[in-house]
Amino acid sequence: MKNELLSVAEAAERIQSGDVLVVAGSSNLMAQLPTGKWIGGSTAYFVTENGGAVVQDKLFCTTIDDATDATVRVVSPEEVATISKGYKAGGFTVILVPAMTDAHIRFALDSANDADLFDQPLVGWVTGVHLDKLGSEASVVVDGSTGAKLENAAVLLHVELPAGSSVDFDIVNIFSQGEEMSVVFSETGFTARTAKVNGVEVNLAQYLTDNAIDTRLPLVANYAGSMVNVSVQTVDVADGRVDFYAPIVAGMEYKLAAPQPDYAAAFANSIGEAGVGQYSCNCILNYLYGDLEGKKTGGFTGPVTFGEIAYILLNQTLVKLDVKAA
Protein backbone atom coordinates (compact mmCIF):
# COMPACT_ATOMS: atom_id res chain seq x y z
CA MET A 1 0.00 0.00 0.00
CA LYS A 2 1.09 3.57 -0.70
CA ASN A 3 0.42 6.30 1.86
CA GLU A 4 0.70 9.83 0.45
CA LEU A 5 -0.45 13.40 0.99
CA LEU A 6 -1.86 14.38 -2.41
CA SER A 7 -3.44 17.43 -3.98
CA VAL A 8 -7.02 17.10 -5.21
CA ALA A 9 -5.73 16.83 -8.78
CA GLU A 10 -3.26 14.08 -7.87
CA ALA A 11 -5.89 12.10 -5.94
CA ALA A 12 -8.37 12.52 -8.82
CA GLU A 13 -5.81 11.12 -11.24
CA ARG A 14 -5.40 8.01 -9.08
CA ILE A 15 -9.15 7.47 -8.90
CA GLN A 16 -9.66 7.95 -12.62
CA SER A 17 -6.91 5.40 -13.33
CA GLY A 18 -8.97 2.80 -11.44
CA ASP A 19 -6.95 2.66 -8.21
CA VAL A 20 -8.62 1.58 -4.97
CA LEU A 21 -8.21 4.25 -2.29
CA VAL A 22 -9.06 5.17 1.28
CA VAL A 23 -9.03 8.98 1.56
CA ALA A 24 -8.88 11.23 4.63
CA GLY A 25 -9.11 15.00 4.90
CA SER A 26 -11.36 17.99 4.40
CA SER A 27 -14.89 17.18 3.23
CA ASN A 28 -14.68 20.21 0.91
CA LEU A 29 -11.64 18.74 -0.82
CA MET A 30 -13.17 15.26 -1.06
CA ALA A 31 -16.27 16.80 -2.70
CA GLN A 32 -14.03 17.75 -5.65
CA LEU A 33 -12.97 14.15 -6.36
CA PRO A 34 -14.44 12.03 -9.17
CA THR A 35 -16.41 8.88 -8.44
CA GLY A 36 -14.61 5.56 -8.30
CA LYS A 37 -13.51 2.78 -5.99
CA TRP A 38 -12.80 4.83 -2.90
CA ILE A 39 -14.20 5.86 0.45
CA GLY A 40 -13.35 8.91 2.50
CA GLY A 41 -13.58 10.33 6.00
CA SER A 42 -13.16 13.81 7.45
CA THR A 43 -10.28 14.79 9.73
CA ALA A 44 -7.80 17.65 9.95
CA TYR A 45 -5.09 15.74 11.83
CA PHE A 46 -2.48 13.36 10.46
CA VAL A 47 0.75 11.58 11.21
CA THR A 48 2.95 12.37 8.23
CA GLU A 49 6.49 11.39 7.31
CA ASN A 50 7.61 14.47 9.24
CA GLY A 51 5.44 13.78 12.29
CA GLY A 52 2.02 14.80 13.54
CA ALA A 53 0.47 17.75 11.73
CA VAL A 54 -2.72 19.62 10.91
CA VAL A 55 -3.19 19.46 7.11
CA GLN A 56 -6.13 21.18 5.43
CA ASP A 57 -4.94 21.73 1.85
CA LYS A 58 -4.19 18.12 0.86
CA LEU A 59 -5.76 14.69 1.16
CA PHE A 60 -4.13 11.69 2.80
CA CYS A 61 -4.59 8.81 0.37
CA THR A 62 -3.87 5.13 0.91
CA THR A 63 -3.71 3.31 -2.41
CA ILE A 64 -4.31 -0.43 -2.07
CA ASP A 65 -2.05 -1.65 -4.86
CA ASP A 66 -2.75 -5.35 -4.34
CA ALA A 67 -6.55 -5.05 -4.64
CA THR A 68 -8.02 -7.06 -7.51
CA ASP A 69 -11.46 -5.60 -6.88
CA ALA A 70 -13.30 -3.51 -4.32
CA THR A 71 -16.92 -2.69 -3.57
CA VAL A 72 -18.13 0.42 -1.77
CA ARG A 73 -21.13 -0.05 0.49
CA VAL A 74 -23.16 2.28 2.73
CA VAL A 75 -24.65 0.86 5.94
CA SER A 76 -27.32 2.69 7.92
CA PRO A 77 -27.29 2.70 11.75
CA GLU A 78 -29.95 -0.01 11.71
CA GLU A 79 -27.85 -2.25 9.44
CA VAL A 80 -24.54 -2.37 11.32
CA ALA A 81 -25.06 -6.04 12.16
CA THR A 82 -24.86 -6.85 8.42
CA ILE A 83 -21.29 -5.65 7.81
CA SER A 84 -20.00 -9.14 6.99
CA LYS A 85 -22.51 -9.62 4.17
CA GLY A 86 -20.19 -7.71 1.86
CA TYR A 87 -16.98 -9.55 2.78
CA LYS A 88 -14.90 -10.77 -0.15
CA ALA A 89 -13.18 -14.11 0.37
CA GLY A 90 -9.54 -13.74 1.40
CA GLY A 91 -9.76 -9.96 1.56
CA PHE A 92 -10.37 -7.31 4.19
CA THR A 93 -12.81 -4.48 4.86
CA VAL A 94 -12.24 -0.82 5.79
CA ILE A 95 -15.03 0.96 7.67
CA LEU A 96 -15.44 4.70 8.35
CA VAL A 97 -18.08 6.09 10.74
CA PRO A 98 -18.83 9.76 11.59
CA ALA A 99 -18.22 10.73 15.22
CA MET A 100 -20.97 11.22 17.78
CA THR A 101 -23.78 10.06 15.50
CA ASP A 102 -26.34 7.31 15.79
CA ALA A 103 -24.22 5.30 13.31
CA HIS A 104 -21.25 5.64 15.68
CA ILE A 105 -23.26 4.54 18.71
CA ARG A 106 -25.06 1.71 16.96
CA PHE A 107 -21.81 0.34 15.52
CA ALA A 108 -20.22 0.33 18.96
CA LEU A 109 -23.17 -1.42 20.60
CA ASP A 110 -24.66 -3.61 17.86
CA SER A 111 -21.99 -4.67 15.35
CA ALA A 112 -20.93 -7.68 17.44
CA ASN A 113 -24.41 -9.11 16.79
CA ASP A 114 -23.12 -9.92 13.29
CA ALA A 115 -22.20 -13.60 13.74
CA ASP A 116 -19.66 -13.47 10.90
CA LEU A 117 -18.04 -10.14 11.83
CA PHE A 118 -14.72 -11.75 12.77
CA ASP A 119 -14.41 -13.86 9.60
CA GLN A 120 -11.94 -11.40 8.01
CA PRO A 121 -10.00 -8.30 9.09
CA LEU A 122 -12.25 -5.29 9.70
CA VAL A 123 -10.31 -2.05 10.24
CA GLY A 124 -11.21 1.59 10.17
CA TRP A 125 -11.83 4.73 12.14
CA VAL A 126 -14.26 7.32 13.40
CA THR A 127 -14.19 10.54 11.38
CA GLY A 128 -14.00 14.00 12.93
CA VAL A 129 -13.24 17.68 12.38
CA HIS A 130 -10.70 20.21 13.58
CA LEU A 131 -11.24 20.68 17.29
CA ASP A 132 -11.89 24.40 16.76
CA LYS A 133 -14.94 23.40 14.69
CA LEU A 134 -16.55 20.98 17.11
CA GLY A 135 -20.24 21.78 17.27
CA SER A 136 -20.19 23.94 14.15
CA GLU A 137 -19.08 21.44 11.51
CA ALA A 138 -20.28 17.86 11.06
CA SER A 139 -18.05 14.83 10.79
CA VAL A 140 -18.73 13.04 7.51
CA VAL A 141 -17.95 9.97 5.47
CA VAL A 142 -17.98 9.87 1.67
CA ASP A 143 -19.23 7.12 -0.63
CA GLY A 144 -16.68 7.51 -3.40
CA SER A 145 -18.70 5.37 -5.81
CA THR A 146 -21.43 8.04 -5.93
CA GLY A 147 -19.79 11.09 -4.35
CA ALA A 148 -22.44 11.16 -1.62
CA LYS A 149 -21.43 12.90 1.61
CA LEU A 150 -23.05 11.20 4.63
CA GLU A 151 -23.39 12.43 8.20
CA ASN A 152 -25.11 9.41 9.80
CA ALA A 153 -24.05 6.19 8.13
CA ALA A 154 -21.05 3.91 7.92
CA VAL A 155 -19.23 3.56 4.63
CA LEU A 156 -17.43 0.32 3.84
CA LEU A 157 -14.76 -0.67 1.34
CA HIS A 158 -14.82 -4.44 0.80
CA VAL A 159 -11.45 -5.32 -0.77
CA GLU A 160 -10.62 -8.42 -2.77
CA LEU A 161 -7.01 -9.65 -2.88
CA PRO A 162 -5.15 -12.09 -5.14
CA ALA A 163 -5.35 -15.75 -4.11
CA GLY A 164 -2.72 -16.63 -1.52
CA SER A 165 -2.35 -13.09 -0.16
CA SER A 166 -2.14 -12.71 3.61
CA VAL A 167 -3.28 -9.87 5.84
CA ASP A 168 -1.47 -8.91 9.04
CA PHE A 169 -3.80 -7.03 11.34
CA ASP A 170 -3.09 -5.75 14.85
CA ILE A 171 -3.32 -2.89 17.32
CA VAL A 172 -0.65 -1.00 19.22
CA ASN A 173 -1.76 -0.07 22.72
CA ILE A 174 0.90 1.53 24.91
CA PHE A 175 -1.26 1.23 28.02
CA SER A 176 -1.38 -1.54 30.59
CA GLN A 177 -3.66 -1.98 33.57
CA GLY A 178 -2.61 -0.15 36.71
CA GLU A 179 -3.10 -1.55 40.19
CA GLU A 180 -4.75 1.30 42.08
CA MET A 181 -8.28 1.53 40.66
CA SER A 182 -10.63 -1.29 39.65
CA VAL A 183 -13.98 -0.26 38.11
CA VAL A 184 -17.04 -2.42 37.33
CA PHE A 185 -20.19 -1.00 35.72
CA SER A 186 -23.75 -2.30 36.02
CA GLU A 187 -24.91 -1.05 32.59
CA THR A 188 -23.44 -1.06 29.09
CA GLY A 189 -23.25 2.25 27.25
CA PHE A 190 -21.36 5.48 26.61
CA THR A 191 -22.40 7.07 29.93
CA ALA A 192 -22.13 6.03 33.58
CA ARG A 193 -23.42 7.63 36.75
CA THR A 194 -22.44 4.97 39.27
CA ALA A 195 -19.86 2.20 39.35
CA LYS A 196 -18.18 -0.10 41.80
CA VAL A 197 -14.69 1.27 42.40
CA ASN A 198 -12.48 -1.17 44.31
CA GLY A 199 -15.68 -2.96 45.31
CA VAL A 200 -17.53 0.12 46.63
CA GLU A 201 -20.52 1.69 44.83
CA VAL A 202 -19.79 5.37 44.10
CA ASN A 203 -20.94 8.26 41.98
CA LEU A 204 -18.18 8.00 39.41
CA ALA A 205 -17.98 11.69 38.46
CA GLN A 206 -17.64 12.69 42.11
CA TYR A 207 -15.08 9.96 42.77
CA LEU A 208 -12.88 10.97 39.84
CA THR A 209 -13.01 14.61 40.91
CA ASP A 210 -12.50 14.07 44.64
CA ASN A 211 -9.51 11.81 44.02
CA ALA A 212 -7.97 13.98 41.28
CA ILE A 213 -7.87 11.02 38.87
CA ASP A 214 -5.97 11.80 35.68
CA THR A 215 -8.66 11.19 33.06
CA ARG A 216 -6.11 11.40 30.26
CA LEU A 217 -5.44 7.79 31.27
CA PRO A 218 -8.02 5.38 29.84
CA LEU A 219 -9.81 2.57 31.61
CA VAL A 220 -8.29 -0.70 30.39
CA ALA A 221 -10.05 -4.07 30.19
CA ASN A 222 -8.69 -7.50 29.30
CA TYR A 223 -10.71 -8.78 26.33
CA ALA A 224 -9.58 -12.40 26.02
CA GLY A 225 -5.92 -11.43 26.29
CA SER A 226 -6.10 -8.10 24.42
CA MET A 227 -5.88 -4.86 26.37
CA VAL A 228 -8.74 -2.61 25.22
CA ASN A 229 -9.05 1.05 26.24
CA VAL A 230 -12.13 3.11 26.99
CA SER A 231 -11.33 6.81 27.23
CA VAL A 232 -13.09 9.45 29.32
CA GLN A 233 -14.75 12.21 27.31
CA THR A 234 -16.27 14.43 30.01
CA VAL A 235 -16.78 14.41 33.78
CA ASP A 236 -19.89 16.35 34.83
CA VAL A 237 -20.04 16.55 38.61
CA ALA A 238 -23.14 18.79 38.62
CA ASP A 239 -25.10 16.22 36.60
CA GLY A 240 -23.34 13.28 38.23
CA ARG A 241 -22.29 11.59 35.00
CA VAL A 242 -19.20 10.50 33.10
CA ASP A 243 -19.26 10.21 29.30
CA PHE A 244 -16.90 7.93 27.38
CA TYR A 245 -15.63 7.81 23.80
CA ALA A 246 -16.43 4.09 23.55
CA PRO A 247 -18.95 1.93 25.40
CA ILE A 248 -18.22 0.47 28.79
CA VAL A 249 -19.52 -3.09 29.22
CA ALA A 250 -21.57 -4.19 32.20
CA GLY A 251 -19.81 -6.72 34.45
CA MET A 252 -16.38 -6.23 32.82
CA GLU A 253 -13.55 -5.25 35.15
CA TYR A 254 -11.71 -2.12 34.06
CA LYS A 255 -8.58 -0.74 35.64
CA LEU A 256 -7.19 2.75 35.35
CA ALA A 257 -4.17 2.60 33.05
CA ALA A 258 -0.70 2.85 34.51
CA PRO A 259 0.79 6.33 33.83
CA GLN A 260 2.98 6.91 30.77
CA PRO A 261 5.83 9.30 31.64
CA ASP A 262 6.74 9.81 27.96
CA TYR A 263 3.91 9.16 25.51
CA ALA A 264 5.88 9.67 22.29
CA ALA A 265 8.77 7.51 23.49
CA ALA A 266 6.34 4.76 24.49
CA PHE A 267 4.94 4.71 20.96
CA ALA A 268 8.39 4.71 19.44
CA ASN A 269 9.46 1.80 21.64
CA SER A 270 6.31 -0.18 20.85
CA ILE A 271 6.50 0.32 17.09
CA GLY A 272 10.18 0.49 16.28
CA GLU A 273 10.84 1.34 12.63
CA ALA A 274 7.86 -0.60 11.25
CA GLY A 275 4.93 0.92 9.41
CA VAL A 276 6.05 1.83 5.90
CA GLY A 277 3.56 0.50 3.37
CA GLN A 278 0.94 -0.38 5.98
CA TYR A 279 -2.50 1.10 6.52
CA SER A 280 -2.85 2.72 9.93
CA CYS A 281 -4.76 5.24 12.01
CA ASN A 282 -3.93 6.78 15.37
CA CYS A 283 -6.19 8.28 18.03
CA ILE A 284 -6.69 12.05 18.47
CA LEU A 285 -6.18 11.54 22.23
CA ASN A 286 -2.73 10.08 21.59
CA TYR A 287 -2.03 13.09 19.35
CA LEU A 288 -3.12 15.55 22.04
CA TYR A 289 -1.98 13.90 25.27
CA GLY A 290 1.24 12.64 23.72
CA ASP A 291 1.99 16.00 22.12
CA LEU A 292 2.64 14.21 18.82
CA GLU A 293 2.63 17.32 16.64
CA GLY A 294 5.96 17.24 14.85
CA LYS A 295 6.82 13.84 16.35
CA LYS A 296 7.02 10.59 14.41
CA THR A 297 5.50 7.25 15.41
CA GLY A 298 7.88 4.84 13.73
CA GLY A 299 7.21 4.49 10.00
CA PHE A 300 3.43 4.64 10.41
CA THR A 301 1.65 7.46 8.63
CA GLY A 302 -2.09 8.02 8.40
CA PRO A 303 -5.12 9.88 9.69
CA VAL A 304 -5.49 10.91 13.31
CA THR A 305 -8.97 9.77 14.27
CA PHE A 306 -11.78 10.16 16.78
CA GLY A 307 -11.91 6.44 17.51
CA GLU A 308 -10.27 3.41 15.94
CA ILE A 309 -11.88 0.20 14.71
CA ALA A 310 -10.39 -3.27 14.83
CA TYR A 311 -13.64 -5.26 14.74
CA ILE A 312 -14.81 -3.17 17.72
CA LEU A 313 -14.56 0.50 18.63
CA LEU A 314 -11.27 1.38 20.34
CA ASN A 315 -9.70 4.45 21.97
CA GLN A 316 -6.12 5.70 22.42
CA THR A 317 -4.86 2.97 20.11
CA LEU A 318 -3.01 2.66 16.82
CA VAL A 319 -4.59 0.21 14.36
CA LYS A 320 -2.41 -1.24 11.60
CA LEU A 321 -2.95 -3.53 8.62
CA ASP A 322 -0.36 -4.98 6.27
CA VAL A 323 -1.01 -6.92 3.05
CA LYS A 324 1.57 -9.48 1.94
CA ALA A 325 1.61 -10.93 -1.55
CA ALA A 326 1.30 -14.67 -2.12
Side-chain angles (χ1 to χ4, degrees):
M1 287 182 275
K2 288 196 294 284
N3 294 310
E4 303 166 292
L5 277 171
L6 302 177
S7 68
V8 170
E10 291 168 332
E13 184 178 350
R14 294 285 176 83
I15 293 166
Q16 289 170 330
S17 73
D19 285 350
V20 177
L21 278 79
V22 181
V23 181
S26 160
S27 60
N28 292 331
L29 295 183
M30 287 188 287
Q32 301 173 47
L33 296 176
T35 58
K37 294 180 179 180
W38 66 276
I39 61 173
S42 60
T43 184
Y45 302 92
F46 303 90
V47 176
T48 72
E49 291 181 350
N50 297 317
V54 173
V55 180
Q56 297 180 304
D57 60 345
K58 289 188 175 182
L59 295 166
F60 192 96
C61 299
T62 298
T63 305
I64 306 172
D65 288 328
D66 289 339
T68 53
D69 194 17
T71 300
V72 177
R73 182 167 157 237
V74 173
V75 175
S76 71
E78 296 75 26
E79 297 173 317
V80 293
T82 69
I83 289 169
S84 69
K85 293 189 181 303
Y87 283 0
K88 296 181 181 293
F92 65 92
T93 293
V94 181
I95 179 170
L96 306 179
V97 187
M100 309 316 293
T101 62
D102 194 36
H104 180 195
I105 294 167
R106 294 266 57 88
F107 171 80
L109 297 176
D110 298 344
S111 60
N113 294 331
D114 183 345
D116 299 318
L117 185 74
F118 298 90
D119 283 1
Q120 71 169 221
L122 174 70
V123 301
W125 47 280
V126 177
T127 71
V129 297
H130 194 286
L131 293 175
D132 290 345
K133 297 182 179 180
L134 285 176
S136 64
E137 183 177 310
S139 305
V140 302
V141 297
V142 180
D143 172 357
S145 68
T146 65
K149 183 169 71 174
L150 307 162
E151 295 183 7
N152 190 27
V155 65
L156 308 172
L157 185 70
H158 297 295
V159 178
E160 179 180 282
L161 296 171
S165 300
S166 62
V167 182
D168 259 348
F169 167 53
D170 204 355
I171 66 174
V172 175
N173 183 1
I174 65 171
F175 293 101
S176 60
Q177 292 182 321
E179 298 297 328
E180 295 183 3
M181 182 177 166
S182 168
V183 186
V184 178
F185 299 95
S186 59
E187 295 182 1
T188 297
F190 281 77
T191 297
R193 293 185 179 276
T194 62
K196 284 188 176 180
V197 177
N198 299 330
V200 178
E201 188 85 8
V202 300
N203 177 277
L204 187 59
Q206 196 67 57
Y207 181 92
L208 295 175
T209 303
D210 290 346
N211 290 276
I213 300 300
D214 184 357
T215 55
R216 293 174 301 177
L217 297 173
L219 298 180
V220 184
N222 187 332
Y223 283 50
S226 294
M227 294 295 118
V228 173
N229 304 329
V230 175
S231 302
V232 175
Q233 181 179 13
T234 57
V235 177
D236 188 336
V237 175
D239 193 34
R241 61 184 278 168
V242 178
D243 293 326
F244 298 92
Y245 284 107
I248 40 95
V249 177
M252 177 75 69
E253 182 186 26
Y254 295 85
K255 292 189 176 182
L256 187 69
Q260 283 293 346
D262 189 331
Y263 230 100
F267 261 110
N269 292 336
S270 297
I271 293 168
E273 296 303 314
V276 175
Q278 299 187 37
Y279 182 69
S280 71
C281 60
N282 200 346
C283 185
I284 185 69
L285 298 180
N286 287 334
Y287 184 93
L288 296 174
Y289 300 159
D291 192 23
L292 295 183
E293 186 167 350
K295 297 177 183 176
K296 298 181 181 181
T297 52
F300 288 101
T301 58
V304 173
T305 66
F306 287 65
E308 305 74 60
I309 295 170
Y311 296 122
I312 63 173
L313 182 61
L314 305 170
N315 296 155
Q316 285 179 261
T317 303
L318 182 145
V319 170
K320 57 179 183 172
L321 181 143
D322 189 20
V323 175
K324 295 187 169 98

